[in-house]
Amino acid sequence: MTIGFPVYWMLNTAFKPSKDAIDPTPHFIPWPVSLENFRRALSISDFWGPVGRSLIVSLSTVGIGLVVGLLAALAISRFAFRGRKIVIVGILAVQMVPLVAMIIPVFLLLNDLGQYDKLPGLILTYLTFILPFTVWTLRGFIVNIPKELEEAAMVDGCSRTGAFVRVVFPLLAPGLVATSIYGFIQAWNEYLYALMLLSQQHQTATVWLSNFTTQHGTEYAPMMAGSTMMAIPVVILFLLVQRKMAAGLTAGAVKG
């Protein structure tokens, strides 16, 4: 209940009249229900442009991260090579670096590459902190899948690649889904890099919310309406893949 209260309050504020949003006396039920905040949110600035750019950045980050992360996790968990432990420690070390500490180096690097104020540059930046988590999470799922399943498939005539595609990959569905949801939420909600690396005409949805804060104050009710509309893609994604998030798909696959 405590976790869900901020979401409830966001929805409550989005549907209540603007004057009630700043009333010192809280109104726990939005009455009368008003859609004016949503109309105000859609009219204050371009809404669909930032949302579209956020979708492009988030989906591209998740797609690239899953492909590269899956190959890296497979190499780390299934193959023995020199420097394997160093790679694992390096992945953990990268996740310990504060994102704020990388703003200036990332800005200079993207500027030298000609990717400043461009969506590919932002996607590349997001991969720097989403990809290590993806590799580490998928590695944990791959390690928990018994090698005997691959060996049995190879005995039956499958190549190593065929054994992975036909046996291991389907069992990785919970890990792929969980990792993709995390990556999508991280990329969708990221604010600092989107603010620093993109101009106003290329801003994403999170930066778009700052339009409700002006020199005259903050329009809380329209801001909550905008936040509600921003949350819809994440909710839809979760509803589409929630069945795949069940754990224990490999239970009983190997006897003894």
Side-chain angles (χ1 to χ4, degrees):
M1 182 176 179
T2 303
I3 298 176
F5 183 79
V7 179
Y8 156 74
W9 197 253
M10 177 185 71
L11 295 173
N12 179 31
T13 306
F15 286 99
K16 67 174 55 173
S18 297
K19 60 183 181 63
D20 293 341
I22 58 176
D23 193 333
T25 303
H27 299 268
F28 292 96
I29 298 178
W31 188 261
V33 176
S34 175
L35 297 178
E36 181 60 31
N37 298 322
F38 291 90
R39 288 191 288 268
R40 171 60 177 160
L42 291 174
S43 64
I44 192 173
S45 182
D46 179 28
F47 172 74
W48 299 111
V51 168
R53 286 188 285 272
S54 289
L55 283 174
I56 292 174
V57 170
S58 301
L59 294 177
S60 299
T61 302
V62 170
I64 298 173
L66 284 181
V67 173
V68 178
L70 179 59
L71 295 176
L74 181 64
I76 293 174
S77 58
R78 285 292 193 260
F79 299 98
F81 55 90
R82 182 175 300 179
R84 177 171 172 269
K85 292 184 178 180
I86 296 177
V87 173
I88 296 176
V89 173
I91 292 174
L92 292 175
V94 169
Q95 296 186 74
M96 298 172 63
V97 179
L99 296 180
V100 179
M102 298 191 297
I103 290 181
I104 295 179
V106 167
F107 171 81
L108 296 176
L109 178 61
L110 293 181
N111 190 48
D112 291 340
L113 295 176
Q115 293 299 316
Y116 173 73
D117 196 22
K118 294 182 180 179
L119 295 185
L122 187 64
I123 294 171
L124 182 63
T125 302
Y126 286 174
L127 285 172
T128 59
F129 58 86
I130 290 178
L131 189 57
F133 175 85
T134 302
V135 174
W136 187 255
T137 304
L138 292 181
R139 173 188 175 274
F141 279 92
I142 294 175
V143 168
N144 288 328
I145 297 177
K147 292 183 178 180
E148 289 81 357
L149 293 176
E150 292 180 78
E151 294 173 354
M154 294 173 67
V155 169
D156 290 338
C158 286
S159 62
R160 179 178 290 274
T161 302
F164 172 79
V165 172
R166 296 185 180 184
V167 178
V168 178
F169 188 77
L171 298 177
L172 278 177
L176 293 173
V177 170
T179 305
S180 63
I181 290 178
Y182 170 85
F184 184 87
I185 292 176
Q186 286 291 102
W188 181 264
N189 291 335
E190 204 284 324
Y191 173 79
L192 185 60
Y193 280 94
L195 176 65
M196 299 296 296
L197 300 179
L198 297 177
S199 63
Q200 186 174 4
Q201 62 179 352
H202 294 148
Q203 64 184 358
T204 56
T206 51
V207 181
W208 170 82
L209 285 175
S210 62
N211 290 318
F212 297 101
T213 301
T214 65
Q215 58 182 351
H216 302 292
T218 301
E219 299 183 70
Y220 292 103
M223 178 181 288
M224 293 300 101
S227 300
T228 300
M229 290 187 291
M230 279 185 53
I232 292 176
V234 178
V235 174
I236 293 176
L237 176 64
F238 178 79
L239 292 177
L240 291 175
V241 300
Q242 61 174 335
R243 293 185 179 181
K244 292 293 185 178
M245 297 191 69
L249 291 182
T250 60
V254 177
K255 295 182 180 180

